[in-house]
């Protein structure tokens, strides 16, 4: 049956109003020991995204309090503490005592120990160890994407994703498009056959790039890399992983499968200074899926170039276009618009992630994003492997990688995994020479 624009809008409105529920969100009517309890929350990683996530958590539930904070750097923790304290000091939701502010590499354990729910928002290289400790100790988790920077980290997250399920712990991963109305509305139409079977697509994160934090004379090499973490693979994973994972995850989600292989190209032409560490400034990757679908992925960090953060997919009966400006459009094969959704309600997917997490805890409904979070992270890592090496990277080969980028049990005396050369520049991957497997 042909989907009309009116039908699409109507169904989208029902979805946005919460009238169309996925099975994972339906109440199972189970008794929950947390239903009346005041939930204690710990924030691990007090940068901008961690502080934002803490703010959203404190707005997601009325019977909740932030009790502990941890960060590698005292100045970053203090700034986050002051901002959150100023906003929540009179609400009864902010109870972080001085003794529960933890600075250093091992502070996460002390913070997690004090909480029922933990927010994990450090640079992603530390995520597997922090997630493992949280699940081992029976904590519900919100963790930012990506969930690792190397394959051993992926394997650890998958292991503890299973353990979280066995322990009935709730886990949300910050791939917020899966909680965003325009994406949910578009996927609903795809499942109803509006554009036929998806056979390919293109996903984009092209922008000017992000901050650079200059080296200061008092920094050790490790402190410099920790503060300028975006430009080091052991901490960040490159921008194909740290940002473009959002669009890659949409492809995996809409296709309902993960790629069997990746091949691509990339390099750095603009972001080439000593402050830019070891990562590329552009990647182009083709991901091939078990169904035969091919997704072309491109991400670029180059000022003064065309900006686009979006996705589009081709089906046997039409195509669909989505973007982070809260819009989705469907077309038939002749290019006629057959559906659209534009969110004008101000719905915030970042807030929705936390609303769903605390609702699931209160009502004891199933919610665990860790497996798809890990597999979409691996997809982006495969893309990085393909552009760095110039080789075709197969999923099963990537999963066998034992290359661990992040040292275990780090302290401020731990040597950084990468060091600058005598001229101050870092080694840059070279396609055709760099080995990734």
């Amino acid at each position: 049956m042909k989907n009309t624009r009116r039908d699409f809008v109507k169904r989208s409105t029902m979805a946005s109003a919460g009238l169309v529920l996925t099975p994972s969100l339906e109440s199972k009517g189970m008794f929950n020991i947390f239903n009346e309890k005041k939930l204690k929350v710990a924030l691990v990683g007090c940068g901008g995204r961690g502080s934002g996530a803490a703010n959203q958590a404190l707005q997601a539930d009325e019977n909740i309090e932030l009790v502990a904070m941890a960060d590698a750097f005292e100045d970053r923790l203090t700034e986050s503490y002051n901002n959150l304290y100023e906003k929540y000091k009179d609400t009864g939701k902010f109870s972080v005592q001085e003794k529960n502010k933890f600075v250093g590499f091992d502070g996460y354990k002390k913070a997690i120990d004090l909480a029922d729910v933990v927010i994990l928002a450090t640079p992603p290289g530390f995520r597997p160890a922090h997630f493992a400790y949280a699940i081992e100790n029976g904590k519900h988790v919100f963790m930012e994407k990506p969930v690792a920077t190397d394959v051993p980290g992926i394997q650890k997250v998958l292991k503890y994703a299973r353990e979280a399920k066995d322990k009935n712990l709730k886990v949300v991963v910050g791939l917020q498009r899966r909680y965003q109305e325009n994406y949910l509305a578009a996927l609903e139409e795809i499942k109803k056959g509006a554009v036929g079977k998806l056979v390919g697509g293109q996903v984009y994160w092209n922008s000017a790039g992000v901050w650079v934090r200059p080296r200061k004379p008092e920094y050790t090499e490790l402190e410099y890399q920790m503060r300028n973490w975006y430009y080091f693979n052991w901490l960040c994973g490159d921008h194909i992983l740290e940002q473009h994972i959002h669009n890659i995850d949409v492809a995996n989600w809409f296709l309902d499968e993960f790629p069997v292989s990746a091949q691509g190209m990339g390099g750095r032409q603009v972001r080439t200074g000593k402050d830019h560490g070891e990562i590329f400034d552009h990647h182009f990757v083709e991901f091939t899926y078990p169904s035969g679908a091919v997704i072309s992925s491109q991400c670029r960090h180059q000022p003064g170039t065309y900006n686009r953060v979006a996705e589009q997919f081709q089906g046997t009966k039409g195509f669909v276009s989505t973007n982070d400006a809260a819009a989705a459009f469907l077309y038939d094969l002749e290019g006629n618009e057959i559906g659209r959704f534009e969110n004008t309600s101000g719905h915030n997917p970042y807030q929705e992630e936390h609303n769903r997490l605390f609702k699931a805890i209160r009502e004891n409904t199933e919610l665990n994003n860790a497996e798809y979070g890990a597999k979409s992270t691996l997809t982006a890592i495969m893309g990085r492997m393909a552009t760095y090496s110039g080789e075709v990277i197969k999923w099963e080969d990537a999963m066998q990688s034992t290359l661990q980028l992040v040292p275990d049990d780090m302290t401020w005396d731990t040597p950084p995994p990468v060091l600058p050369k005598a001229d101050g520049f870092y080694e840059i991957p070279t396609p055709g020479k760099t080995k990734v497997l």
Side-chain angles (χ1 to χ4, degrees), residues 95-110:
S95 307
V96 182
Q97 300 178 35
E98 194 64 28
K99 66 179 182 179
N100 295 335
K101 296 159 67 176
F102 303 106
V103 174
F105 283 98
D106 63 349
Y108 74 95
K109 293 183 179 179
K110 300 168 185 173

Side-chain angles (χ1 to χ4, degrees), residues 45-222:
C46 300
R49 185 73 277 276
S51 300
N55 178 52
Q56 284 140 10
L58 292 174
Q59 296 184 51
D61 191 282
E62 285 306 309
N63 199 14
I64 182 177
E65 60 180 343
L66 185 67
V67 299
M69 301 173 70
D71 198 282
F73 296 108
E74 184 173 6
D75 59 330
R76 211 159 47 190
L77 190 153
T78 299
E79 181 179 0
S80 177
Y81 174 94
N82 289 341
N83 290 335
L84 291 168
Y85 173 78
E86 192 60 33
K87 183 170 184 177
Y88 290 100
K89 61 184 178 183
D90 298 323
T91 65
K93 291 184 172 183
F94 192 91
S95 307
V96 182
Q97 300 178 35
E98 194 64 28
K99 66 179 182 179
N100 295 335
K101 296 159 67 176
F102 303 106
V103 174
F105 283 98
D106 63 349
Y108 74 95
K109 293 183 179 179
K110 300 168 185 173
I112 290 172
D113 287 346
L114 297 172
D116 304 302
V117 185
V118 298
I119 298 168
L120 306 180
T122 62
F126 299 115
R127 199 88 70 245
H130 294 181
F131 181 58
Y133 186 81
I135 299 304
E136 285 174 345
N137 289 278
K139 314 299 182 181
H140 304 290
V141 173
F142 171 85
M143 61 177 168
E144 264 302 337
K145 56 71 205 166
V147 300
T149 57
D150 57 27
V151 176
I154 295 291
Q155 298 282 16
K156 179 174 287 189
V157 172
L158 287 171
K159 173 186 174 183
Y160 284 96
R162 295 189 291 271
E163 185 168 324
K165 183 177 182 180
D166 292 342
K167 291 182 173 180
N168 193 26
L169 297 171
K170 320 306 177 188
V171 181
V172 166
V173 174
L175 291 163
Q176 80 279 353
R177 282 163 174 75
R178 294 195 183 228
Y179 295 83
Q180 192 164 337
E181 289 179 331
N182 57 314
Y183 288 92
L184 292 165
L187 182 59
E188 184 183 353
E189 292 304 304
I190 291 170
K191 288 181 176 178
K192 292 177 182 293
V195 295
K197 180 182 177 182
L198 297 186
V199 295
Q202 300 78 41
V203 296
Y204 309 88
W205 192 297
N206 292 334
S207 68
V210 299
W211 44 262
V212 171
R213 296 182 179 130
R215 187 188 296 270
K216 295 183 178 179
E218 64 268 28
Y219 287 168
T220 64
E221 178 62 26
L222 180 57

Side-chain angles (χ1 to χ4, degrees), residues 177 183 186 190 195 198-205 244 246-248 250-252 254-255 289 293-298 306 308-315 318-324 327-331:
R177 282 163 174 75
Y183 288 92
I190 291 170
V195 295
L198 297 186
V199 295
Q202 300 78 41
V203 296
Y204 309 88
W205 192 297
H244 192 37
H246 283 297
N247 319 102
I248 291 170
V250 172
N252 292 344
F254 279 19
L255 290 170
Y289 288 75
V294 175
I295 297 295
S296 298
S297 140
Q298 59 177 276
Y306 171 57
R308 186 177 190 187
V309 179
E311 307 83 15
Q312 59 187 23
F313 301 95
Q314 291 75 48
F319 57 98
V320 58
S321 175
T322 51
N323 62 54
D324 66 349
F329 304 93
L330 276 74
Y331 304 90

Side-chain angles (χ1 to χ4, degrees), residues 164-373:
K165 183 177 182 180
D166 292 342
K167 291 182 173 180
N168 193 26
L169 297 171
K170 320 306 177 188
V171 181
V172 166
V173 174
L175 291 163
Q176 80 279 353
R177 282 163 174 75
R178 294 195 183 228
Y179 295 83
Q180 192 164 337
E181 289 179 331
N182 57 314
Y183 288 92
L184 292 165
L187 182 59
E188 184 183 353
E189 292 304 304
I190 291 170
K191 288 181 176 178
K192 292 177 182 293
V195 295
K197 180 182 177 182
L198 297 186
V199 295
Q202 300 78 41
V203 296
Y204 309 88
W205 192 297
N206 292 334
S207 68
V210 299
W211 44 262
V212 171
R213 296 182 179 130
R215 187 188 296 270
K216 295 183 178 179
E218 64 268 28
Y219 287 168
T220 64
E221 178 62 26
L222 180 57
E223 179 172 356
Y224 169 68
Q225 292 190 20
M226 286 283 290
R227 290 192 181 276
N228 209 30
W229 62 269
Y230 204 94
Y231 298 94
F232 296 93
N233 280 323
W234 67 281
L235 289 162
C236 166
D238 207 322
H239 65 107
I240 188 174
L241 182 60
E242 211 284 328
Q243 285 183 311
H244 192 37
I245 184 177
H246 283 297
N247 319 102
I248 291 170
D249 178 64
V250 172
N252 292 344
W253 178 32
F254 279 19
L255 290 170
D256 194 25
E257 56 185 350
F258 295 93
V260 294
S261 67
Q263 74 85 24
M265 63 186 74
R268 48 192 276 166
Q269 294 179 297
V270 174
R271 215 168 42 184
T272 58
K274 295 177 182 177
D275 284 346
H276 298 124
E278 57 178 344
I279 69 174
F280 282 0
D281 64 13
H282 63 281
H283 303 256
F284 183 94
V285 181
E286 288 180 345
F287 293 103
T288 301
Y289 288 75
S291 64
V294 175
I295 297 295
S296 298
S297 140
Q298 59 177 276
C299 59
R300 179 175 58 206
H301 276 186
Q302 295 177 341
T305 60
Y306 171 57
N307 286 343
R308 186 177 190 187
V309 179
E311 307 83 15
Q312 59 187 23
F313 301 95
Q314 291 75 48
T316 54
K317 295 168 54 180
F319 57 98
V320 58
S321 175
T322 51
N323 62 54
D324 66 349
F329 304 93
L330 276 74
Y331 304 90
D332 64 19
L333 291 176
E334 285 71 45
N336 302 306
E337 184 178 294
I338 58 173
R340 71 160 54 198
F341 176 80
E342 294 176 284
N343 174 24
T344 57
S345 69
H347 176 262
N348 182 346
Y350 297 95
Q351 183 61 53
E352 187 67 21
E353 292 174 317
H354 293 271
N355 294 347
R356 299 289 185 92
L357 174 61
F358 284 94
K359 180 179 173 64
I361 294 170
R362 294 293 187 194
E363 299 183 355
N364 195 24
T365 53
E366 183 179 346
L367 183 60
N368 187 338
N369 302 163
E371 180 177 350
Y372 75 65

